[in-house]
Amino acid sequence: MIPTAIGGISVTVVFGLMAWVVTSAEQWPRIKLQFFNIDAMIAAFPRVLQGFWVNMQVWLTVLACVLVWALVLAVVRSLRAPWFAPFRLMVVIYIDIFRGVPALLLVLLFGFGIPALNLPGLPNSGLFWGAVAMVLSYAAYVAEIYRSGIDAVHEGQRAAAKSLGLSEWQTLRYAILPQALRNVVPALMNIVVALQKDVALLSVIGVRDAVREAQIYTATTFNYSSLIVAAGLFLLATIPMARLADYLTRRDRERRLQIAG
Amino acid sequence: MIDIDTVTKYFGEKLVLDRVSLRIAPHEVVCLIGASGSGKSTLLRCVNRLVAHDYGTIRLDGVAVDDPRFGKTGLQKRVAIVFQSYNLFAHMNVLDNITLAPRRVHGQSRAEAEDRGRDVLARFGMAGFAASYPEQLSGGQQQRVAIARALMTRPDVLLLDEITAALDPELVGEVLAIIRGLKDDGMTMMIVTHEMGFARDCADRVAFLDGGVILEQDTPDRLFGTPQEPRTKAFLQRIIASGRL
Ligand SMILES: Nc1ncnc2c1ncn2[C@@H]1O[C@H](COP(=O)(O)OP(=O)(O)OP(=O)(O)O)[C@@H](O)[C@H]1O
Ligand SMILES: [Mg+2]
């Protein structure tokens, strides 16, 4: 009771002081006008929100593609049959390349580069190819997460499955992957949150997402409040996800402790 | 029934089995004893081909275990193994654990597999646990489920690799009782064990493995009573000193 009260008071005092220092600074009125202008915020809000809706759609689509494609990569990498060696090697090279190159560079390369080729039969939109770049890049990380989950499944589970006559694929499908996926949920949640923000990279190739819309507003009015609106929308989306990630991580740790103890 | 003929196995440079020969007749129970690292598990795993041996031949009723006639799963159907650490699938309940192979590998329907599954569970006193998950069971119960899982396909040979070594002492008995029951039913078994008392009264023959070589094999009475090789004597003396015989 008393510790809680002390905590509450100290938070109020410290944050109050900080607010007082900031707002009493000489430059505060200018900052407020440039970044926290209510009128500008209200004016920019509908378009930024519309852009944010694009972010959310791209996020979910890319996420679904990443989860599936990364699983394919991880499975190929963990199959042990000797004749699979060239495919394993391909996956290793793939992961090295797409983890090593900045996502922004990939987005530029795919989003501007491929539409410029005018390839017949393929979509020509920057949005499509930018999203492809995001999928390729993120899948490299997620494949490694899956793989760590697969490696963490005890070797005895493989031996048991094999001794029962399950093929290598059946062993993965029925014995290993279900346990591996459960192991990596917390790690995946962090990727989900990171991707939610990184979709904004697509704004550099002209996709009219929240950041792009806010920038357009900024460019015409020389006022940055629209960017703050976009930031607020991102926070609104990412903070609950981050809390969910924390919760799942905690629950996972408790489950492990229970098994261990 | 099983004919292990001058089998040699290397792990990398390391010689783990050195020209091992051992024959097991139908309905015979052979116990393998020996120090840690002597190659007991490896020998068992060669028999059901969890490990591929390098030289020599292992035959099941005259057919080599690597013969294509066994197909992908024929050998596993006839030779089952139970491990020290149970290795039940942690994400599946007991019934799913034991019906996985019959359904996915041997093409049985769910109803057919589950009928047999419930019978086998009942036989081992686990009928009430079909819906339980492995982590909810004691070690002894998990091991009984693992034995049930191994017997689902009615194998001819059962390989047991130190199946009581991970159990609390008071749970060892319930598992060994099951093995005695299987012996009475005429199951052919190869048993790796540190339970010398059990080897003594359950085995038809005991083989002592030392550094990848079968130094000595005989009836339990003779091998435990009048061991011929000095190294066998020394091994048994250590066991006696630690109070396990
Ligand atoms: N997969 C493997 N890769 C490399 N070496 C291995 C492998 N499995 C076993 N070995 C080695 O082969 C030797 C024999 O091992 P094995 O497990 O057969 O012994 P064991 O008699 O069963 O011993 P324990 O009583 O400790 O179970 C050991 O030196 C071990 O380190
Ligand atoms: Mg062993």
Side-chain angles (χ1 to χ4, degrees):
Chain A
M1 195 59 219
I2 288 178
T4 321
I6 295 178
I9 291 168
S10 114
V11 166
T12 315
V13 170
V14 171
F15 278 71
L17 267 173
M18 277 164 59
W20 179 74
V21 167
V22 170
T23 54
S24 64
E26 203 180 320
Q27 297 87 345
W28 173 244
R30 269 179 53 217
I31 294 174
K32 197 174 157 190
L33 202 63
Q34 280 284 2
F35 292 95
F36 300 99
N37 184 329
I38 296 292
D39 292 338
M41 282 179 166
I42 292 173
F45 185 76
R47 288 176 59 184
V48 176
L49 184 65
Q50 205 172 17
F52 193 69
W53 175 232
V54 173
N55 283 80
M56 291 295 105
Q57 285 172 305
V58 174
W59 169 55
L60 287 176
T61 313
V62 169
L63 180 62
C65 297
V66 164
L67 293 179
V68 173
W69 174 229
L71 190 59
V72 173
L73 294 172
V75 164
V76 169
R77 187 155 186 195
S78 63
L79 289 176
R80 295 176 185 184
W83 60 271
F84 238 81
F87 302 103
R88 278 197 298 271
L89 185 64
M90 275 197 257
V91 172
V92 171
I93 295 173
Y94 172 97
I95 290 175
D96 278 350
I97 291 178
F98 284 95
R99 261 199 329 184
V101 176
L104 176 60
L105 199 156
L106 289 171
V107 167
L108 289 170
L109 204 59
F110 278 69
F112 282 140
I114 297 189
L117 293 176
N118 267 320
L119 294 173
L122 287 176
N124 240 339
S125 90
L127 171 60
F128 177 83
W129 287 107
V132 168
M134 296 294 294
V135 171
L136 294 176
S137 169
Y138 262 76
Y141 289 97
V142 174
E144 287 294 276
I145 293 177
Y146 281 146
R147 190 168 70 103
S148 71
I150 290 172
D151 288 349
V153 176
H154 197 274
E155 189 62 33
Q157 301 275 308
R158 268 182 200 273
K162 197 175 169 201
S163 76
L164 289 168
L166 274 75
S167 68
E168 200 183 0
W169 164 246
Q170 287 175 320
T171 299
L172 262 180
R173 159 79 180 74
Y174 296 112
I176 309 298
L177 282 182
Q179 301 186 59
L181 295 185
R182 196 162 73 173
N183 289 343
V184 298
V185 166
L188 284 182
M189 284 304 296
N190 290 321
I191 289 281
V192 170
V193 175
L195 181 63
Q196 203 169 34
K197 294 178 300 174
D198 276 1
V199 166
L201 288 175
L202 297 188
S203 65
V204 299
I205 54 169
V207 173
R208 297 186 65 159
D209 77 325
V211 175
R212 186 74 187 169
E213 290 290 358
Q215 268 183 320
I216 293 172
Y217 185 86
T218 302
T220 51
T221 62
F222 302 102
N223 186 293
Y224 297 98
S225 302
S226 56
L227 286 172
I228 298 295
V229 171
L233 287 174
F234 276 106
L235 287 177
L236 225 53
T238 52
I239 289 179
M241 294 298 295
R243 285 296 158 278
L244 181 62
D246 290 348
Y247 166 75
L248 289 174
T249 309
R250 203 169 51 237
R251 211 186 51 176
D252 182 67
R253 194 169 48 224
E254 277 160 13
R255 182 173 64 87
R256 280 162 205 267
L257 284 178
Q258 226 166 20
I259 290 174
Chain B
M1 164 140 265
I2 295 179
D3 182 3
I4 299 170
D5 185 8
T6 49
V7 163
T8 296
K9 170 69 192 172
Y10 288 88
F11 278 122
E13 296 285 292
K14 190 171 163 46
L15 177 59
V16 179
L17 293 177
D18 184 6
R19 287 162 291 173
V20 169
S21 293
L22 186 66
R23 303 177 82 126
I24 295 141
H27 313 302
E28 195 180 15
V29 174
V30 172
C31 280
L32 286 175
I33 61 172
S36 183
S38 55
K40 306 180 297 292
S41 299
T42 305
L43 182 58
L44 276 198
R45 285 161 177 247
C46 285
V47 173
N48 77 337
R49 231 168 150 66
L50 270 180
V51 169
H53 58 276
D54 296 322
Y55 305 101
T57 324
I58 301 177
R59 292 187 199 84
L60 178 66
D61 287 338
V63 182
V65 291
D66 46 353
D67 192 300
R69 269 181 282 175
F70 276 118
K72 281 183 162 45
T73 62
L75 182 69
Q76 284 72 25
K77 190 165 184 225
R78 295 193 51 196
V79 182
I81 188 166
V82 181
F83 304 93
Q84 171 175 351
S85 47
Y86 336 125
N87 296 354
L88 295 178
F89 301 121
H91 60 295
M92 290 184 188
N93 70 27
V94 164
L95 196 58
D96 288 343
N97 256 283
I98 66 178
T99 55
L100 177 67
R103 290 176 59 202
R104 303 296 174 191
V105 180
H106 305 294
Q108 295 181 11
S109 71
R110 176 189 271 272
E112 189 183 357
E114 292 192 347
D115 273 355
R116 165 130 179 96
R118 288 181 200 284
D119 285 349
V120 177
L121 287 179
R123 178 169 168 206
F124 296 142
M126 293 299 293
F129 297 92
S132 303
Y133 283 82
E135 66 187 45
Q136 300 169 320
L137 303 178
S138 76
Q141 291 171 326
Q142 290 190 54
Q143 198 57 293
R144 283 189 274 162
V145 173
I147 295 168
R149 182 172 71 177
L151 293 176
M152 283 295 285
T153 55
R154 298 190 169 83
D156 306 315
V157 178
L158 196 53
L159 310 172
L160 306 175
D161 192 356
E162 296 190 40
I163 61 167
T164 58
L167 297 180
D168 293 335
E170 70 270 20
L171 300 179
V172 169
E174 67 184 53
V175 171
L176 292 184
I178 286 177
I179 304 309
R180 286 202 184 85
L182 291 173
K183 177 186 161 76
D184 295 340
D185 294 347
M187 177 64 81
T188 309
M189 292 188 275
M190 251 177 106
I191 305 178
V192 173
T193 184
H194 289 300
E195 300 283 339
M196 297 303 158
F198 171 75
R200 187 162 212 166
D201 64 43
C202 195
D204 298 308
R205 204 143 41 92
V206 178
F208 174 63
L209 205 58
D210 181 73
V213 178
I214 293 195
L215 269 190
E216 193 167 351
Q217 49 174 310
D218 216 326
T219 62
D221 280 345
R222 280 199 295 252
L223 191 122
F224 290 122
T226 53
Q228 301 301 307
E229 297 285 334
R231 296 186 65 95
T232 319
K233 279 182 200 152
F235 174 76
L236 291 174
Q237 238 130 46
R238 278 202 305 279
I239 299 277
I240 291 165
S242 65
R244 283 187 290 157
L245 187 68

